[in-house]
Amino acid sequence: MPTILFHSPQSDKAWPVELQKALSDHRIATDIDAVDPADVVAAVVWNPPHGRLRGFPNLRLIQVLGAGVDRLLREDSLPDGVPIARLVDPGLTQRMSEYVLMHCLALHRRMPEIQRAHDERQWRYLHPRPPAESSVGILGLGVLGLAAAQALISIGFNVVGWSRSRKSGLAFASFAGESELEEFKRRADILVLLLPLTPLTADFVDARFLATVKHDAALINVGRGALVVEDDLIAALDSGRLRHAVLDVFRTEPLPTEHRFWRHPAITVTPHNSSATNPATAVAQVVDNLRRALTGQRPSNLVDRTIGY
Ligand code: NDP
Ligand code: OXD
C-alpha cells in the first residue's frame, strides 16, 4: 500500500491519527525504520533523522510540520527535485500575532522597568501612553509578519515593515532590501524579527545592525536564534542602546541553564512557545497538500530551496 511517513516524535499524537482518517487509501507509518522504502510516496516531518529522506526513491512531497524550514534545508542530503512544502497554519499565525501584540504592549508600557521596581518594592509611576506613540518595526512581511502588523494596527500602534521584495497596497509604510534598512530602523521603537533563517539572514542582528537602531529601542526575536549575534546583543543591552530584548528562539534549544541570557536583567526568555503548529487547524491543509502532490497537482506553500524559505 502507498505509505506516507509521519516523522515528528514531539508532535501531538493526534497528527497521525487524523491523517490516517482522512487518507484511508494510504498507510500512515510512524516508524521510519519499519517502512519499505519503495512504498513511501510522501513524508510529513519535523526534523527528520539526518540523511534518511534520501532513501525513499518514490517520494513526491516533503511536507514540513512547521513554518520555518531552516533546519531541514541545512541537511546536505535532501533528495534532489522533491518539492518541499511548509505549513501556513491559521492557528499558528493567530498565536504568533497574540505573542507579538502581548510583548509589544508590555514593552510599550515599560513592564520590564515596572517589574524591576516591583522586585525592589518601589512605587515607580510611569504615565500610560497610547500605542500610537510607539512604532513597531517588523522585519519579515510574510504570513506571520503581515498578520502581526494587522493585530498591532488594530489596537493603535504605528507599524513599519521591512522585507526582501517591495510590497504594495499595505496599510503601513514598508521598506525593502539592504538599501532601505537604515531608513526602516530609524522609524522603529520596537523591532520584531519575523525573518526566516537563511544564508542571508544568519547573524543579521550584529554590532553593525545594533549601532543604528533608535536609542532606547527594544527587540523581539521570534524568528530563529541564529538571526542574532549573542555577544553583540548583550553589548547593546549593557550599553543601554537597546533597552530590552524578548527572546523566544535560541541557537541552542532548550536554552542551557548556565546561559547568560537567563540572568540578564534586560532579557525576557520564553521557551520557543510564541506559537506552534496545531493539528486542529492544520491537518486539513496537510491532507490537501498530500492529495495534490499524489495526484500530480502543485502543492501549496512550496519552499524555494535556492533562497532558503
Ligand atoms: P514567510 O516565508 O511567509 O515570510 C518571510 C518574510 O521574510 C518575507 O517577507 C521575506 O521577504 C522576508 N525575508 C526573507 N529573507 C529576507 C532577507 N534576506 N531580507 C529581507 N527580508 C527577508 O515566513 P513566515 O512569516 O511564515 O515565518 C517567518 C519565520 O518565523 C519562520 O521562517 C520561522 O523561522 C519563524 N517562526 C517561529 C515560530 C516560533 O514559534 N517562534 C513559529 C513559526 C515560525 P519577501 O516577502 O520579499 O519574500
Ligand atoms: C515553526 C516553529 O517554524 O514552530 O513552525 O518554530
Side-chain angles (χ1 to χ4, degrees):
M1 196 177 204
T3 297
I4 295 168
L5 174 69
F6 180 90
H7 183 87
S8 182
Q10 315 287 329
S11 289
D12 192 316
K13 299 292 172 252
W15 267 106
V17 176
E18 293 303 317
L19 289 175
Q20 188 64 81
K21 271 192 221 156
L23 295 156
S24 54
D25 45 350
H26 288 74
R27 185 166 79 92
I28 307 296
T30 52
D31 184 353
I32 196 166
D33 296 316
V35 287
D36 179 343
D39 286 344
V40 177
V41 290
V44 179
V45 294
W46 184 249
N47 304 332
H50 180 75
R52 294 297 296 276
L53 295 179
R54 247 199 203 285
F56 303 120
N58 298 315
L59 203 57
R60 281 145 77 178
L61 177 68
I62 299 171
Q63 172 69 56
V64 179
L65 270 189
V69 291
D70 47 288
R71 188 138 163 209
L72 182 77
L73 294 187
R74 266 207 308 275
E75 273 257 356
D76 49 12
S77 57
L78 283 176
D80 297 326
V82 178
I84 299 175
R86 69 190 193 99
L87 262 192
V88 174
D89 169 10
L92 180 149
T93 304
Q94 182 61 30
R95 296 293 84 75
M96 181 60 83
S97 295
E98 291 158 5
Y99 180 98
V100 170
L101 184 57
M102 168 173 78
H103 286 286
C104 284
L105 277 169
L107 291 165
H108 166 73
R109 296 291 288 263
R110 305 193 82 94
M111 280 308 293
E113 284 101 307
I114 291 175
Q115 183 62 50
R116 280 196 284 276
H118 174 177
D119 294 344
E120 290 158 18
R121 300 192 202 179
Q122 278 181 21
W123 184 269
R124 181 154 149 67
Y125 180 81
L126 295 172
H127 195 68
R129 297 175 300 119
E133 289 183 21
S134 283
S135 281
V136 181
I138 302 181
L139 296 107
L141 297 177
V143 174
L144 301 180
L146 288 175
Q150 208 168 10
L152 291 160
I153 288 169
S154 73
I155 70 142
F157 278 107
N158 285 309
V159 170
V160 286
W162 184 75
S163 55
R164 198 168 60 95
S165 59
R166 186 163 307 289
K167 309 291 176 216
S168 57
L170 299 180
F172 55 91
S174 70
F175 299 85
E178 194 66 37
S179 64
E180 296 181 9
L181 182 60
E182 292 307 314
E183 175 59 21
F184 161 81
K185 276 166 30 183
R186 266 195 289 281
R187 300 200 189 193
D189 301 301
I190 300 172
L191 291 152
V192 180
L193 287 173
L194 269 169
L195 293 167
L197 178 61
T198 71
L200 284 181
T201 62
D203 295 336
F204 184 72
V205 175
D206 59 3
R208 205 172 119 230
F209 177 99
L210 291 163
T212 56
V213 297
K214 258 177 119 167
H215 181 70
D216 208 35
L219 178 80
I220 298 175
N221 185 13
V222 269
R224 283 291 183 261
L227 296 173
V228 176
V229 178
E230 294 186 349
D231 285 344
D232 296 356
L233 175 67
I234 298 269
L237 290 165
D238 288 347
S239 71
R241 167 158 284 285
L242 209 56
R243 76 177 154 100
H244 199 86
V246 174
L247 307 175
D248 184 53
V249 282
F250 304 91
R251 284 173 188 259
T252 305
E253 293 182 5
L255 186 65
T257 43
E258 69 281 5
H259 199 287
R260 61 210 154 135
F261 282 172
W262 287 114
R263 294 186 310 273
H264 200 288
I267 292 181
T268 300
V269 168
T270 61
H272 197 143
N273 75 340
S274 54
S275 191
T277 304
N278 177 1
T281 50
V283 162
Q285 182 203 127
V286 170
V287 168
D288 181 60
N289 241 11
L290 289 166
R291 284 202 205 286
R292 280 168 178 272
L294 299 175
T295 55
Q297 298 170 67
R298 187 182 158 81
S300 309
N301 305 316
L302 287 177
V303 169
D304 182 339
R305 291 193 194 199
T306 57
I307 56 171
Y309 67 100

